[in-house]
Amino acid sequence: MERNVTRKEHIIKGYSKEDALALDGSDSLQHLRSEFIIPTKGDLKRKTISRSDAPSDSQEEPSIYLCGNSLGLQPRRTSAFVNAHLGAWATKGVFGHFKVLEDSKMPPFVDVDELAAQQMAPIVGAKASEVAIMETLSANLHLMMASFYQPTQERYKIILEGKAFPSDYYAVESQIRHHNFDPGQAMILIEPSDPDQSIVTTAHIMSVIDKHASSTALILLPGVQYYTGQFFDIPTITAHAHAHGIIIGWDLAHAVGNVDLQLHDWDVNFAVWCSYKYLNCGPGAIGGLFVHEKHGQVDRAAMSNGSAGFRARLSGWWGGDKATRFQMGNHFVPIPGAAGFQVGNPCALAIAPLLASLEIFALTSMAELRCKSIRLTNFLEELLDQQSSRIAEGGSGKLYHIVTPSKVPDRGAQLSIRLKPGLLERVMAELEEQGVVVDERKPDVVRVAPAPLYNTFQEVWDFVNIFGRACLKASQGQVHVGESPTAFAGMGEKGWSQIK
């Protein structure tokens, strides 16, 4: 479904709040918003968690939270799942590993990761056996490269995007050094063919693969680029890599829970992701990985004859055969599939928020969520474009433009907006003052991501109006940073960009 979306639906004719309200009224997923805790404007500005003073009506208004691409909101179900785990630990102790509790939302500790993998599989388009819930994204990336990056003197290069998220760059560089190669020679960075543009076309990516195919051991790319919001053509690029005999992995930090993925059908070798963005599992939440079933096979007959019988990896206790795990033998036999790549016992407490969120995802489908997401982001784009034209016609010139691809198949929920130089700090201060939560990438980009699980068309409409006024005020010198209290008052020099 995902890569066949080719038409942009123009869903408004004017620029009125009634349009937004009408769209919300026809939204079949609007009930899911009540599953989440939306911080109020007062919550964001208060220096305490508790509400010690009676808030004013304006402070009780929900904030406009369009930052799910950085940290998703907390589901109301999260506390029940966390408390269920804590209750099992408190009342059963070590017996909680195996005892099924009739009144608990959580399975026994020993099975919690397996249940999470089963529920995650539909979100990434995989078989349950191809998914493991474990570690963090960067740790999982290292574990995957330990298995899938097997360089030789002839094929040793890793191709990655030039503007990759820093942790991916660090991981690739360190893996190359670990194998005693020179990153200056072995790291091939894909930069935009047009230096004035931020977008990397599929054709350009494939041309770089063609150029370095004979000396490349691995390709690592983002599913959705964190800075621009570009959604890469995963099936086409994966097939092109395989045509050259190259293994390819995907960092899906900004894709999972955002776009409709079909990792098994697309024949992806491996993928890794975090769970705190669109999956709404909290800061530093447990990560996940996908390993295609062809790489997770275990040949016990070969093992009995002295051969490895399974793909090389960094092995650990929790990846061993579950039936014999507690026999404490020292002969490693991996669980078939992605679970065999696990290393240590996953934290059941960390998986509890994931199970809470996945229970909400199970109330709908990624296809339905993606359909609403397309409509939300199209609406956002159209309103922003209309407003930009109005501002320019009013004599203030062009104060911003959208750098995210305009074609629906080439983007997820996020739009990245590049401001006129010098406006970012003042615009962000005004947005914070008005109870709007987005994030920034210096020197001049604001990232806005309406999440279909909890954001509304009215919020998008309200945001665009507040954003437009903020841009005008900033361009006219009417916003003075630090003059008014914001969500980060009392934090000295540290603002949102530093906290991120």
Side-chain angles (χ1 to χ4, degrees), residues 68-330:
N69 59 326
S70 189
L71 180 67
L73 290 178
Q74 183 183 133
R76 295 186 183 277
R77 302 178 186 221
T78 299
S79 58
F81 276 83
V82 171
N83 288 334
H85 168 70
L86 295 177
W89 177 25
T91 61
K92 306 302 174 186
V94 71
F95 295 109
H97 279 93
F98 305 102
K99 194 173 186 66
V100 177
L101 302 176
E102 296 177 355
D103 60 346
S104 175
K105 285 179 168 289
M106 295 285 287
F109 307 157
V110 76
D111 297 323
V112 67
D113 59 308
E114 186 176 350
L115 176 62
Q118 292 170 359
Q119 296 183 359
M120 177 67 75
I123 295 176
V124 296
K127 296 181 178 181
S129 61
E130 294 175 315
V131 176
I133 302 303
M134 54 187 280
E135 308 294 342
T136 61
L137 188 155
S138 294
N140 286 335
L141 183 55
H142 275 293
L143 290 170
M144 290 294 93
M145 286 196 289
S147 178
F148 288 96
Y149 178 52
Q150 300 292 326
T152 65
Q153 290 300 316
E154 293 73 31
R155 303 188 78 157
Y156 58 92
K157 294 177 182 176
I158 299 179
I159 298 175
L160 69 159
E161 187 221 353
K163 301 298 182 182
F165 197 78
S167 63
D168 287 8
Y169 188 98
Y170 303 153
V172 167
E173 182 179 37
S174 63
Q175 287 283 335
I176 288 171
R177 292 188 187 279
H178 182 70
H179 288 278
N180 296 315
F181 287 96
D182 177 8
Q185 300 296 320
M187 290 180 71
I188 305 301
L189 304 181
I190 303 176
E191 304 284 359
S193 52
D194 182 349
D196 295 327
Q197 299 295 321
S198 302
I199 305 305
V200 181
T201 66
T202 299
H204 181 56
I205 293 171
M206 294 194 296
S207 71
V208 174
I209 294 173
D210 291 340
K211 180 178 179 180
H212 297 277
S214 63
S215 55
T216 295
L218 178 68
I219 300 170
L220 176 68
L221 294 173
V224 173
Q225 215 280 344
Y226 81 98
Y227 183 84
T228 65
Q230 178 185 359
F231 180 19
F232 282 38
D233 190 343
I234 298 175
T236 298
I237 297 169
T238 297
H240 193 73
H242 290 171
H244 287 288
I246 304 172
I247 285 175
I248 183 166
W250 294 89
D251 176 345
L252 302 179
H254 286 265
V256 67
N258 176 12
V259 293
D260 198 4
L261 301 167
Q262 300 298 328
L263 299 183
H264 176 83
D265 291 345
W266 293 344
D267 202 26
V268 166
N269 296 109
F270 72 88
V272 295
W273 59 85
C274 59
S275 302
Y276 52 83
K277 302 180 189 300
Y278 298 98
L279 291 181
N280 312 301
C281 298
I286 196 165
L289 60 80
F290 165 89
V291 178
H292 197 281
E293 64 178 354
K294 63 188 175 185
H295 301 302
Q297 298 175 2
V298 178
D299 187 341
R300 288 177 177 264
M303 293 178 69
S304 65
N305 292 326
S307 299
F310 56 88
R311 185 175 187 87
R313 68 197 67 187
L314 294 180
S315 302
W317 183 53
W318 211 254
D321 183 10
K322 199 169 182 179
T324 59
R325 179 182 290 160
F326 288 94
Q327 294 177 12
M328 303 301 176
N330 61 8

